[in-house]
Amino acid sequence: MSSPASLPQASMRDTAAFIAEVFLPTVAKGPIKRRPRMEAAAERFGLDARAVARMQKLSRTYPEGPLLLRLPFRKQAVALHPSEVHLVLENSPDPFSPASSEKRGALAHFEPRNVLISTGGERSARRALQEQALDAHSPVHHLARHFLPVINEEAGHLIAGLAEEKQLDWEQFSGAWDRVVRRIVFGNNAADDVDLTAKLTRLRKDANWSSLKPMRSTTRAAFLSTVRQRMLAAEPGSLAHSLKAHDGSPKTAPADQIPQWLFAFDPAGMATFRTLALLASHGPQLQSVRLELSRDASEHHHLPYLRACVLESLRLWPTTPMILRQTIREVQWPHGMMPGNCGVLVFAPYFHRDVRALPGAELFQPELWIGQGPDHSPDLALVPFSEGPVRCPGRQLVLMLTSAFLAQLVERTDFLLNEPKRLEPTEPLPANLNPFSLSFTLHPREGR
């Protein structure tokens, strides 16, 4: 009996082009902790646009996928069509495990027992704990009455601190955002624990190199010890407080789930800052946001249009550009067999910017996300929070917090983008928007 045919395989030339134009530039920017200099270089030289163009060329050359790369050291496939993305993500974690080799090597630097790199019963227990603590299926978290006053207070402090210079840059914004994150995760007593954030930053920089970088065992132990102590001292109304009852459980490993929250809220801050830039440069959408705020009677618990603006920012500039999976056994596809222990890569910017499937894909269109949303279309693969059983359990909480923070900013102040030509409303938006270089001039709104 003949063996089943394998999937289409890229030529050596196309494999090299993918590595040079898609994989390496994306990794160079920092998959776990962004590198400001590389973000600036990617924006200056249009590397993200080149990556999308390369993926489009591959999809035309290989109309039947997924595509196996020709690598001597690893079995690796790349999704080229939306149907392949949906199949992979809807069938995670079995047979497409999120605990890929690269992800295990990276996250072991600061969260060695996190759900993202767990398998079997441990993964199931940790996923259930994450969903419970993050209130994964509710647009308004059950602790919103504790979280939103933190948002209001920190946004107010940020604006008040800029009263004289009237300039806002990334460093100032991220400082306020980090305080929000620490207070929501642990409570008010962690607001000023910048050392905790610094330790995590150091470990995340190492994690950019995955298993190629030696482990900082002492720093990791100190960081995880601090996280556990913070969890035990967490205040009622914080995320960590809800994990106390599970402390000591070998399967749930509650303290090891917290670093992922601290990590994930960092790119959520980048999405918030980029959304502010979009609103500052797109008057009609900003007016729609302010109209929604004027009609809101729920103290900004749920703001569908503003959440859509955040989602649109994540579509245009996904903070997780590479979604990784790895097969736990052979998988039969319509066009061939995918081997076991094969990596599968979904390059989100290519699918998010596919003008062939989404008219106006390079424009700011928050209306796309109102109602059912484009992420439910089988002809599109818009996956800012992934999808399927392994979809980010913090999606709803992130959208609630980011939209609430933005609401406080734009309700009180007018923000003028200092380089407005970067985001011309009538022109295609750039494939890369470096958040570290964004800055705004502030003007108090009349009557506020």
Side-chain angles (χ1 to χ4, degrees):
M1 180 180 294
S2 61
S3 59
S6 63
L7 288 171
Q9 188 171 33
S11 67
M12 289 294 295
R13 182 173 182 175
D14 286 336
T15 297
F18 173 85
I19 293 173
E21 296 184 357
V22 180
F23 181 76
L24 288 180
T26 305
V27 170
K29 290 192 296 181
I32 306 297
K33 180 62 181 176
R34 294 292 186 270
R35 298 180 174 109
R37 289 184 179 179
M38 289 307 303
E39 283 280 0
E43 184 177 52
R44 180 180 178 183
F45 296 109
L47 298 185
D48 291 64
R50 292 176 62 182
V52 170
R54 174 55 57 183
M55 291 294 297
Q56 290 173 336
K57 185 174 182 179
L58 287 175
S59 72
R60 292 191 297 269
T61 305
Y62 304 94
E64 299 176 348
L67 179 66
L68 289 174
L69 300 180
R70 198 177 294 270
L71 300 173
F73 52 85
R74 175 172 172 76
K75 292 175 285 187
Q76 180 67 52
V78 180
L80 295 179
H81 308 287
S83 60
E84 298 160 13
V85 176
H86 296 309
L87 192 149
V88 168
L89 298 184
E90 291 296 337
N91 290 277
S92 300
D94 184 0
F96 300 101
S97 172
S100 68
S101 302
E102 300 87 352
K103 197 181 297 181
R104 290 198 304 270
L107 299 188
H109 283 272
F110 60 93
E111 49 184 34
R113 296 196 295 168
N114 188 265
V115 63
L116 289 175
I117 51 175
S118 302
T119 57
E122 289 182 342
R123 186 195 177 280
S124 298
R126 293 166 189 176
R127 174 73 187 197
L129 181 62
Q130 288 265 8
E131 291 187 354
Q132 177 186 347
L134 297 172
D135 210 354
H137 305 293
S138 175
V140 178
H141 196 280
H142 67 273
L143 295 176
R145 62 187 178 88
H146 296 282
F147 296 164
L148 295 180
V150 171
I151 293 282
N152 299 349
E153 186 176 320
E154 293 297 342
H157 288 164
L158 174 62
I159 294 174
L162 303 172
E164 290 189 9
E165 59 186 74
K166 299 187 185 305
Q167 296 289 316
L168 174 64
D169 60 23
W170 169 252
E171 184 176 355
Q172 295 160 322
F173 177 88
S174 62
W177 183 253
D178 286 344
R179 284 178 58 86
V180 168
V181 171
R182 290 191 294 264
R183 292 177 65 182
I184 284 173
V185 172
F186 295 114
N188 295 333
N189 58 18
D192 296 318
D193 194 352
V194 294
D195 184 63
L196 176 68
T197 303
K199 282 191 178 74
L200 178 57
T201 296
R202 191 175 305 120
L203 294 170
R204 286 174 59 198
K205 287 180 177 178
D206 289 347
N208 278 337
W209 298 91
S210 190
S211 56
L212 298 176
K213 185 83 170 182
M215 196 77 64
R216 293 181 191 262
S217 301
T218 303
T219 304
R220 186 181 76 168
F223 168 71
L224 292 175
S225 175
T226 302
V227 168
R228 187 171 187 278
Q229 292 168 15
R230 283 285 182 196
M231 182 188 75
L232 296 176
E235 301 171 25
S238 66
L239 289 174
H241 185 267
S242 63
L243 302 184
K244 285 185 180 182
H246 301 273
D247 184 40
S249 171
K251 276 196 173 182
T252 55
D256 286 76
Q257 309 316 305
I258 295 175
Q260 179 63 25
W261 301 344
L262 300 172
F263 160 33
F265 277 126
D266 181 28
M270 293 181 186
T272 308
F273 206 49
R274 285 170 170 150
T275 305
L276 184 62
L278 285 166
L279 293 174
S281 56
H282 290 72
Q285 287 84 352
L286 178 59
Q287 288 303 111
S288 294
V289 165
R290 286 177 170 161
L291 181 61
E292 178 177 64
L293 296 177
S294 70
R295 294 174 174 173
D296 177 52
S298 64
E299 298 181 348
H300 302 343
H301 286 179
H302 186 44
L303 300 165
Y305 188 81
L306 193 42
R307 292 184 185 212
C309 291
V310 177
L311 281 165
E312 183 67 350
S313 167
L314 287 165
R315 179 186 71 81
L316 291 163
W317 304 291
T319 53
T320 304
M322 293 191 299
I323 300 175
L324 305 179
R325 296 290 186 266
Q326 191 163 313
T327 58
I328 60 176
R329 60 176 179 274
E330 289 186 337
V331 180
Q332 180 66 56
W333 289 79
H335 306 296
M337 183 72 73
M338 180 178 287
N341 199 33
C342 178
V344 184
L345 189 152
V346 175
F347 186 61
Y350 157 60
F351 294 101
H352 290 194
R353 295 276 189 142
D354 190 355
V355 294
R356 300 168 300 181
L358 179 63
E362 296 180 335
L363 301 176
F364 180 42
Q365 303 181 77
E367 293 78 12
L368 289 171
W369 299 92
I370 300 297
Q372 188 78 343
D375 50 343
H376 292 273
S377 170
D379 299 322
L380 297 171
L382 306 185
V383 287
F385 289 94
S386 189
E387 68 176 28
V390 186
R391 187 181 203 176
C392 174
R395 179 183 189 271
Q396 297 287 5
L397 178 57
V398 165
L399 292 175
M400 187 188 84
L401 297 178
T402 54
S403 61
F405 199 85
L406 284 164
Q408 291 299 315
L409 297 182
V410 302
E411 196 171 38
R412 305 179 189 199
T413 309
D414 282 320
F415 291 83
L416 303 180
L417 189 62
N418 286 338
E419 295 181 48
K421 290 186 178 181
R422 293 171 72 177
L423 301 178
E424 287 284 354
T426 58
E427 298 295 326
L429 292 168
N432 181 280
L433 183 64
N434 176 17
F436 307 110
S437 65
L438 293 175
S439 64
F440 303 85
T441 299
L442 282 63
H443 295 286
R445 292 188 67 201
E446 293 184 7
R448 295 284 173 176

